[in-house]
Amino acid sequence: MKTWYALHTKPNSEFQVAAVLEQRGIETYLPQMEAPKSRQHRKTKPFFPCYLFVNVDFHETGLSQVRWVPGMRRIVTFDDRPVPVPESMITFIRRQLGEIEAAGGWPAYNFRKGDAVRITIGPFKDMVAIFEGPTSSGKRVQVL
């Protein structure tokens, strides 16, 4: 019986691993989100960096068909046994990502100009500032 399992990949190898497994006839699910790359282009990125899911019956398809793929680190296990991921969890992830995409994508921040913010890490930890606005594509902001 086919069951979903989580795979841990090397950094930036999720798409490569998924492609090889698909070529081997193994169903994969790589949750992705479009992240703003620039104002003109958008880039798709894994929602869970270094992880993807496979739907496989390890009695039919040997562990080696999944384990020995370029870019793979390991099958997520507990006590040296692959841990099944419930179908309901895969459905939940698909639904949640669909709702986020329908709402226009993941917001880079949810502050508005003039909001008070408390800095939680770094040299300005515990200082209160006023949110002024973004300075780049969701990575940096300006505060007073």
Side-chain angles (χ1 to χ4, degrees):
M1 184 169 121
K2 286 188 174 184
T3 306
W4 288 100
Y5 296 94
L7 305 182
H8 185 208
T9 69
K10 294 178 181 176
N12 302 311
S13 296
E14 303 90 349
F15 292 102
Q16 173 190 5
V17 171
V20 170
L21 291 170
E22 289 285 341
Q23 287 174 350
R24 293 181 182 179
I26 298 171
E27 180 184 1
T28 65
Y29 175 50
L30 176 56
Q32 305 169 42
M33 286 292 299
E34 283 196 23
K37 184 177 179 186
S38 71
R39 292 176 193 246
Q40 295 83 14
H41 305 286
R42 297 184 70 80
K43 182 179 179 186
T44 302
K45 299 174 89 172
F47 190 71
F48 302 112
C50 296
Y51 289 92
L52 68 131
F53 302 96
V54 292
N55 191 14
V56 67
D57 181 350
F58 283 124
H59 295 294
E60 269 184 32
T61 307
L63 277 171
S64 62
Q65 288 292 316
V66 175
R67 188 176 285 153
W68 305 113
V69 173
M72 269 287 293
R73 280 203 170 147
R74 63 189 62 88
I75 300 169
V76 176
T77 62
F78 180 75
D79 202 20
D80 290 330
R81 293 186 182 153
V83 179
V85 176
E87 177 82 33
S88 60
M89 182 60 67
I90 300 298
T91 303
F92 176 77
I93 293 168
R94 287 183 201 259
R95 186 176 58 244
Q96 290 298 108
L97 288 178
E99 289 176 13
I100 291 168
E101 287 178 14
W106 199 268
Y109 56 87
N110 59 357
F111 303 113
R112 286 180 279 174
K113 188 173 181 169
D115 284 353
V117 295
R118 179 178 301 277
I119 299 169
T120 59
I121 59 172
F124 300 110
K125 183 178 178 179
D126 294 328
M127 292 186 76
V128 176
I130 306 296
F131 183 77
E132 187 65 19
T135 60
S136 67
S137 62
K139 301 265 184 200
R140 297 174 187 249
V141 297
Q142 185 176 14
V143 294
L144 302 174

